[in-house]
């Protein structure tokens, strides 16, 4: 059942290219994005004034990525909300808003409550859901199914990756319908998405390098993740993956926030992982990493092939293939999933069933 892998999590990491391809192909017709099965018409898309993305945990983290991509490409204001907060704070929703709830299981109690709240207020809702026939799939006005297949490991990987693809497809289509990108850009973005599965395969092929590095972190007390923009969103997920299955304390910080308090936690030999896939922000994050290094931190850099100057600063570097920066989270997250996995294995823990956690959180 684990297909020759030691754990479901590793099997599911390897299934990501397939999950992405299936999700992509389900929405591509004659080389174009077709959302007709989702039920969003061009008129619906044009009318949207704000988007709220409501979710928990890793699904929330994909919402943070989608916020960056959607706002940049389609120029629609997006707010990402933790469902457990959204449901209790009387959000001010307008009839032209769209509430997107993201959930692998389709059963997460807080996310479902957020969906119901939006519906009560007469706002259009869209579920990005992996489990067919789940509560959220049944109750949302529109459903975008991710086709990740059943996910067994408590720590999500392939469903997260498929949720990102859903966010990209919506962003590209909204950008086209709202006339913020050219026809040429539209097709280039679609081509770029098609190349992601192969690029993920290349990252996974080199997993032993991450395994070697992870084994050395087995006794770490704290690990920090820093990045800006989409890299910050990747850090949120990298940090969650690590802490939930390795039980090592870890935090993700927007790199520019370090000097507003957190940098006082940096001590000798603490590992700081910088994610640097966004060309515009590369130098900014490097300088934050240098500041950590001068306080004794050891540094891992996660960046794109070609950014070799990172080796002037970081002690260990992981390169991912080049892609359009909007989609870089799909690549950068994979080494961080592998890192969490291998640290957990090195510590002899139950990778697929971490303590105190359930796969589907049906109580608040
Ligand atoms: C972390 C993880 C959780 C889920 C969260 C939401 O690896 O899996 O954080 O992402 O519990 O679950 P769904 O997507 O089922 O609503």
């Amino acid at each position: 059942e684990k297909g020759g892998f030691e754990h479901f999590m590793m099997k599911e990491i390897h299934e990501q290219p397939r999950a992405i391809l299936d999700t992509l192909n389900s929405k591509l017709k004659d080389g174009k994005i077709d959302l007709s099965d989702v039920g969003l018409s061009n008129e619906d898309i044009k009318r949207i004034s704000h988007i709220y993305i409501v979710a928990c945990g890793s699904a929330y983290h994909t919402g943070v990525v989608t916020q960056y991509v959607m706002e940049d490409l389609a120029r629609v204001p997006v707010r990402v909300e933790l469902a457990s907060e959204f449901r209790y704070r009387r959000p001010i929703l307008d009839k032209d808003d769209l509430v997107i709830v993201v959930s692998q299981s389709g059963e997460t109690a807080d996310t479902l409550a957020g969906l119901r709240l939006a519906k009560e207020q007469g706002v259009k809702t869209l579920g990005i859901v992996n489990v067919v026939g789940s509560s959220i799939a049944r109750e949302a006005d529109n459903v975008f199914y991710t086709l990740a297949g059943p996910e067994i490991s408590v720590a999500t990987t392939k469903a997260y990756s498929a949720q990102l693809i859903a966010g990209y497809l919506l962003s590209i289509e909204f950008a086209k319908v709202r006339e913020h990108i050219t026809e040429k850009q539209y097709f280039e973005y679609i081509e770029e998405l098609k190349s992601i599965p192969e690029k993920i395969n290349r990252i996974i092929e080199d997993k032993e390098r991450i395994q070697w590095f992870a084994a050395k972190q087995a006794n770490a007390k704290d690990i920090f993740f820093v990045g800006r923009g989409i890299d910050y969103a990747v850090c949120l997920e990298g940090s969650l993956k690590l802490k939930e299955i390795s039980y090592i304390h870890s935090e993700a910080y927007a790199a520019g926030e370090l000097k507003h308090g957190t940098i006082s936690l940096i001590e000798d030999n603490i590992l700081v992982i910088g994610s640097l896939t966004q060309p515009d922000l590369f130098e900014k994050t490097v300088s934050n990493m240098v500041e950590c290094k001068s306080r004794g931190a050891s540094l891992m850099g996660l960046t794109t092939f070609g950014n070799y100057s990172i080796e002037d600063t970081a002690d260990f570097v992981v390169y991912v293939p080049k892609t359009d920066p909007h989609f870089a989270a799909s690549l950068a997250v994979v080494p961080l999933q592998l890192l969490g996995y291998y640290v957990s294995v090195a510590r002899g823990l139950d990778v697929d069933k971490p303590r105190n956690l359930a796969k589907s959180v049906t109580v608040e």
Side-chain angles (χ1 to χ4, degrees):
E1 48 169 12
K2 291 180 195 152
F5 294 98
E6 210 175 323
H7 302 98
F8 282 109
M9 183 176 174
M10 188 51 104
K11 172 171 179 264
E12 289 161 4
I13 286 173
H14 281 76
E15 286 171 348
Q16 292 185 111
R18 167 55 49 198
I20 288 171
L21 212 58
D22 287 349
T23 304
L24 259 181
N25 286 338
S26 74
K27 296 289 178 284
L28 293 180
K29 308 263 148 60
D30 304 323
K32 292 186 181 162
I33 299 168
D34 180 349
L35 298 178
S36 56
D37 70 334
V38 176
L40 283 177
S41 68
N42 286 359
E43 282 59 46
D44 294 331
I45 294 170
K46 280 187 190 140
R47 208 182 308 123
I48 297 167
S49 57
H50 301 90
I51 296 173
Y52 288 78
I53 303 177
V54 177
C56 302
S58 295
Y60 168 83
H61 296 158
T62 70
V64 181
V65 176
T66 301
Q67 178 186 39
Y68 286 110
V69 179
M70 181 68 86
E71 288 197 338
D72 195 55
L73 293 184
R75 309 304 294 157
V76 193
V78 180
R79 277 172 77 154
V80 200
E81 305 254 2
L82 293 166
S84 55
E85 291 293 314
F86 179 80
R87 66 178 292 194
Y88 289 122
R89 66 166 187 79
R90 298 207 302 140
I92 303 161
L93 303 174
D94 182 83
K95 62 171 182 13
D96 290 331
D97 292 346
L98 173 68
V99 171
I100 302 179
V101 294
V102 188
S103 178
Q104 186 285 125
S105 63
E107 302 295 348
T108 300
D110 285 321
T111 311
L112 181 58
L115 169 69
R116 287 178 178 161
L117 178 78
K119 284 186 71 180
E120 275 161 24
Q121 299 198 19
V123 178
K124 207 172 175 54
T125 58
L126 165 65
I128 297 176
V129 186
N130 196 51
V131 176
V132 177
S134 58
S135 301
I136 293 174
R138 280 184 278 113
E139 294 189 28
D141 298 319
N142 303 96
V143 181
F144 185 130
Y145 280 111
T146 50
L147 300 183
E151 194 177 60
I152 310 292
S153 174
V154 165
T156 182
T157 53
K158 61 176 179 167
Y160 169 95
S161 284
Q163 287 163 356
L164 287 183
I165 296 298
Y168 303 153
L169 287 168
L170 291 169
S171 302
I172 296 167
E173 185 63 12
F174 285 22
K176 189 190 82 175
V177 171
R178 296 169 71 108
E179 297 176 13
H180 284 287
I181 55 173
T182 62
E183 180 112 325
K184 181 164 172 282
Q185 286 172 311
Y186 173 78
F187 287 112
E188 282 169 1
Y189 288 136
I190 293 173
E191 276 314 300
E192 198 58 46
L193 291 186
K194 289 194 210 158
S195 74
I196 289 176
E198 170 51 28
K199 289 173 182 171
I200 291 179
N201 273 328
R202 276 193 264 153
I203 297 168
I204 295 174
E205 268 168 27
D206 205 23
K207 62 184 186 230
E208 274 81 14
R209 202 169 120 72
I210 312 252
Q211 181 177 23
W212 168 81
F213 180 72
K216 299 198 292 182
Q217 312 306 326
N219 298 314
K221 219 163 74 352
D222 306 284
I223 296 182
F224 292 91
F225 291 76
V226 300
R228 291 169 183 255
I230 286 171
D231 286 303
Y232 171 53
V234 170
C235 287
L236 291 171
E237 179 62 5
S239 172
L240 179 59
K241 286 281 89 81
L242 180 79
K243 76 184 96 177
E244 70 177 325
I245 56 175
S246 77
Y247 316 152
I248 293 174
H249 171 255
S250 152
E251 306 267 352
Y253 275 92
E257 272 292 293
L258 277 171
K259 57 177 62 145
H260 297 286
T262 316
I263 201 156
S264 66
L265 294 170
I266 304 298
E267 297 173 0
D268 271 353
N269 299 320
I270 279 201
L271 177 63
V272 175
I273 299 176
S275 181
L276 313 104
T277 65
Q278 303 297 302
D280 299 354
L281 301 167
F282 181 84
E283 291 300 339
K284 297 274 176 207
T285 303
V286 167
S287 74
N288 299 124
M289 291 171 71
V290 169
E291 285 160 359
C292 293
K293 190 173 184 154
S294 70
R295 285 156 183 88
S298 74
L299 300 179
M300 169 178 149
L302 172 59
T303 190
T304 308
F305 276 109
N307 290 334
Y308 302 118
S309 67
I310 191 65
E311 298 194 24
D312 294 336
T313 309
D315 305 292
F316 176 71
V317 180
V318 175
Y319 294 104
V320 295
K322 286 193 178 132
T323 184
D324 183 281
H326 293 97
F327 313 133
S330 289
L331 304 183
V333 77
V334 178
L336 301 184
Q337 296 168 339
L338 290 165
L339 181 69
Y341 174 85
Y342 283 122
V343 173
S344 177
V345 169
R347 287 163 68 86
L349 300 173
D350 191 347
V351 178
D352 287 334
K353 285 198 177 63
R355 67 187 181 200
N356 310 341
L357 291 171
K359 181 65 183 161
S360 175
V361 184
T362 53
V363 292
E364 64 174 299

